[in-house]
DNA sequence: ATACGGAATTAGAACTATTCTAAATAAAAT
DNA sequence: ATTTTATTTAGAATAGTTCTAATTCCGTAT
């Protein structure tokens, strides 16, 4: 299995480039880790995960990379009640469910619902982003 | 106009009591300030405002009072992207619009919309709270 | 290939909103 | 009045994030 085309790793740099992000190895590693385990990790958690592949990376760099990815719409930052920011590689419009146990789940949001939310606002409001957060208890399926 | 019944100040202690909050002078002052200027102040801003009426109050007490009011459903805490928590005395279910200039506005949310949001979740999810935040540019009417 | 210049990374210090701590005070219950 | 319990207070501590200044990296021009 020496020189097989690994389906994921090759186009990563290209994806970053297409979004205006200079593909450094740290950015690729951070982005890859978000794509691989989609459980809304915090910066600290990302830091812990990427250290295996990039043992010399610093926490500041993880923050930098995450910021760049968020700025360039490759990743979403998710905030809930002053808890540490969580990161999410799901780009489809969706809401988040925050479990009382600490889990964060993506909730699909059809465009119809989004449009209805937007219609709550007077027409002279310019809406850039709509954020929907649920909080409660989700059934734990282990 | 010496001994007129001031419509607001009398029942305040009663309102607190009815919500299970022991009415201390600090709590009354903090709650009153939120009722009077409904512009979603931060704890620091509340601190600055109540100092006129209660010059010896401490910031820690302001935090304590706000927490107690939030715990007992007299006030809502509003968070947006790790900005300092803002406080809101509007108890009706509503969303928030976060202006790029920093203003926070209440947006009425009919129960129909709330129900539709809840319907996005599988029925075995127990929803405690739904939070909707808009972000964008609001027309500034000065 | 090599040197230059701007961008990215790094370690650690700094910052900020909030919470904690322990002592003092106030209020309620006896 | 006295005891108990809750609240307030000032300041220290904490945690997540950002800043700083030095180093390293990478693309481009030579």
């Amino acid at each position: 299995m020496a020189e097989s085309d690994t389906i994921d790793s090759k186009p990563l740099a290209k994806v970053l480039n297409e979004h205006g992000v200079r593909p450094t190895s740290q950015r690729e590693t951070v982005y890859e880790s978000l794509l691989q385990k989609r459980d809304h990790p915090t910066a600290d958690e990302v830091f812990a995960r990427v250290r295996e592949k990039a043992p010399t990376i610093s926490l500041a760099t993880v923050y930098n990379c995450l910021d760049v990815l968020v700025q360039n719409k490759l990743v979403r930052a998710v905030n809930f009640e002053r808890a540490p920011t969580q990161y999410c590689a799901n780009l489809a419009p969706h809401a988040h469910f925050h479990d009382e146990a600490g889990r964060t789940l993506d909730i699909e949001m059809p465009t119809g619902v989004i449009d209805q939310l937007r219609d709550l606002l007077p027409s002279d409001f310019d809406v850039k982003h709509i954020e929907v957060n649920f909080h409660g208890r989700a059934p734990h399926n282990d």
Side-chain angles (χ1 to χ4, degrees), chain A residues 83-94:
Chain A
T85 301
Q86 298 172 268
Y87 297 88
C88 173
N90 180 358
L91 293 181
H94 64 280

Side-chain angles (χ1 to χ4, degrees), chain A residues 79-120:
Chain A
N79 286 103
F80 192 65
E81 277 183 2
R82 294 201 66 78
T85 301
Q86 298 172 268
Y87 297 88
C88 173
N90 180 358
L91 293 181
H94 64 280
H96 288 106
F97 186 92
H98 299 266
D99 187 62
E100 286 179 355
R103 265 185 317 169
T104 297
L105 305 171
D106 286 356
I107 305 295
E108 276 190 68
M109 228 184 355
T111 51
V113 175
I114 297 172
D115 290 343
Q116 256 185 301
L117 287 173
R118 188 189 319 266
D119 287 348
L120 294 178

Side-chain angles (χ1 to χ4, degrees), chain A residues 28-66:
Chain A
E28 285 179 40
T29 309
V30 165
Y31 185 41
E32 193 180 30
S33 102
L34 288 178
L35 290 173
Q36 266 170 21
K37 195 146 186 271
R38 290 157 165 279
D39 62 347
H40 305 84
T42 64
D44 268 331
E45 286 165 347
V46 172
F47 184 44
R49 290 173 192 181
V50 298
R51 285 183 105 154
E52 284 154 36
K53 287 215 170 182
T56 69
I57 202 170
S58 75
L59 178 57
T61 298
V62 171
Y63 273 106
N64 287 343
C65 292
L66 290 169

Side-chain angles (χ1 to χ4, degrees), chain A residues 3-19:
Chain A
E3 297 180 4
S4 67
D5 278 20
T6 53
I7 271 174
D8 304 306
S9 55
K10 274 256 209 54
L12 249 188
K14 199 168 293 183
V15 174
L16 293 179
N17 246 327
E18 284 165 1
H19 282 251

